Amino acid sequence: MVKQPIPVGLRIDVDTYRGTLKGVPRLLDMLARHDITASFFFTVGPDNMGRHLWRLLRPAFLKKMLRSNARSLYGYDILFKGTLPWPGPDIGQKLGHLIQQAHYLQHEIGLHAWDHHKWQTRIDRMSADELHREIERGYRRLEMLLGERVSCSAVAGWRCNPATLAQKETFDFRYNSDCRGDAIFMPKGKRTPQIPVTLPTYDEVIGQNGITDENYNQYILDAINPNGLNVYTIHAEAEGIACASLFEKFLLMAAERHIKFVPLGALLPQDSEHLPTGTIEAVEIPGREGWVARHSSLSSRSR
Ligand SMILES: [Zn+2]
């Protein structure tokens, strides 16, 4: 009997200049070798991620650094970039050709952020106009690079609030992937479906509850639900650089289990009219600092 493949949405978030420069080409090679097309969500403006250095002073981030060996994960250049008084390098301007290459290789290309760090740290304080401007700057840059409309987006750090959902609606994306959850849903009163991320990321679980590089791949594979939605996020900064060989082993193990990685757009139903309605809520999740948006299943049941 031929086993039906289990579709798993594969999403590659690209947060930094270094991740784009070093991680993206390596992932493109690897995905080509394994005959996989996926969704890349790019950060296309300035790389100010080094401003994360201030987080070293916070116990939660320090713990994560020790747990995940963040120096090898992110590299010194990322940790220090943006701590200087001038803005970080403009990713889309300097490395647009790598974004175009991913597009040329048939991967689905979406917008992650204009300025990843600004989005993650300032969204709570941004007005509707500011939110719109941030998305629009990224949208215009990516549209210019691709030479066509941008079909999808995924906010930085899963930081999405109702005001963001309202602004995103004006860009006419085919879908957004802005939250965590277990099922595709339609945000109440909107027309753009949300495809939530269902599985944890490497940096969220490594070093916790006995999870190490030795058993991490198995842990993720065991968390895949053969009968439900599965969306997995990797980072160009991690799986494209420091964890690249670990990730390649993951692809081999997944193939043995009849898992077929697909771009997120391939998970959308033909007809989004009948998707359950839902809302998002801000929650804290293990291994990640601050809040992330999660699909609130409560309201999807009481639609
Ligand atoms: Zn990101």
mmCIF file of all heavy atoms in Angstrom, residues 13 15 112 116 156-157 235, ligand 1:
data_model
loop_
_atom_site.group_PDB
_atom_site.id
_atom_site.type_symbol
_atom_site.label_atom_id
_atom_site.label_comp_id
_atom_site.label_asym_id
_atom_site.label_seq_id
_atom_site.Cartn_x
_atom_site.Cartn_y
_atom_site.Cartn_z
ATOM 1 N N ASP A 13 12.084 31.965 7.834
ATOM 2 C CA ASP A 13 12.125 33.373 8.205
ATOM 3 C C ASP A 13 13.562 33.875 8.073
ATOM 4 O O ASP A 13 14.501 33.218 8.530
ATOM 5 C CB ASP A 13 11.663 33.558 9.652
ATOM 6 C CG ASP A 13 10.153 33.409 9.799
ATOM 7 O OD1 ASP A 13 9.493 33.018 8.815
ATOM 8 O OD2 ASP A 13 9.647 33.695 10.899
ATOM 9 N N ASP A 15 15.752 37.069 9.047
ATOM 10 C CA ASP A 15 15.647 38.247 9.920
ATOM 11 C C ASP A 15 16.766 39.254 9.718
ATOM 12 O O ASP A 15 16.624 40.409 10.113
ATOM 13 C CB ASP A 15 15.701 37.809 11.396
ATOM 14 C CG ASP A 15 14.555 36.884 11.796
ATOM 15 O OD1 ASP A 15 13.654 36.660 10.966
ATOM 16 O OD2 ASP A 15 14.589 36.398 12.937
ATOM 17 N N HIS A 112 8.448 39.581 5.459
ATOM 18 C CA HIS A 112 8.583 39.359 6.897
ATOM 19 C C HIS A 112 8.548 40.714 7.603
ATOM 20 O O HIS A 112 7.713 40.930 8.472
ATOM 21 C CB HIS A 112 9.888 38.615 7.165
ATOM 22 C CG HIS A 112 9.982 38.003 8.523
ATOM 23 N ND1 HIS A 112 8.905 37.516 9.203
ATOM 24 C CD2 HIS A 112 11.060 37.776 9.329
ATOM 25 C CE1 HIS A 112 9.307 37.021 10.377
ATOM 26 N NE2 HIS A 112 10.604 37.184 10.476
ATOM 27 N N HIS A 116 13.007 44.452 11.102
ATOM 28 C CA HIS A 116 12.578 43.362 11.987
ATOM 29 C C HIS A 116 12.627 43.786 13.447
ATOM 30 O O HIS A 116 11.700 43.556 14.225
ATOM 31 C CB HIS A 116 13.492 42.154 11.752
ATOM 32 C CG HIS A 116 12.972 40.855 12.298
ATOM 33 N ND1 HIS A 116 12.951 40.558 13.634
ATOM 34 C CD2 HIS A 116 12.456 39.759 11.678
ATOM 35 C CE1 HIS A 116 12.458 39.345 13.811
ATOM 36 N NE2 HIS A 116 12.141 38.840 12.633
ATOM 37 N N ALA A 156 7.133 39.937 11.932
ATOM 38 C CA ALA A 156 8.331 39.582 12.707
ATOM 39 C C ALA A 156 7.923 39.164 14.113
ATOM 40 O O ALA A 156 7.091 39.803 14.755
ATOM 41 C CB ALA A 156 9.277 40.776 12.768
ATOM 42 N N GLY A 157 8.517 38.076 14.571
ATOM 43 C CA GLY A 157 8.353 37.639 15.963
ATOM 44 C C GLY A 157 6.933 37.263 16.355
ATOM 45 O O GLY A 157 6.610 37.263 17.536
ATOM 46 N N HIS A 235 14.832 29.292 10.658
ATOM 47 C CA HIS A 235 15.440 30.611 10.455
ATOM 48 C C HIS A 235 16.704 30.481 9.615
ATOM 49 O O HIS A 235 17.526 29.600 9.877
ATOM 50 C CB HIS A 235 15.776 31.250 11.804
ATOM 51 C CG HIS A 235 14.558 31.778 12.517
ATOM 52 N ND1 HIS A 235 13.786 30.999 13.340
ATOM 53 C CD2 HIS A 235 13.963 32.994 12.465
ATOM 54 C CE1 HIS A 235 12.769 31.730 13.787
ATOM 55 N NE2 HIS A 235 12.853 32.939 13.286
HETATM 56 ZN ZN ZN B 1 11.808 36.842 12.214
#
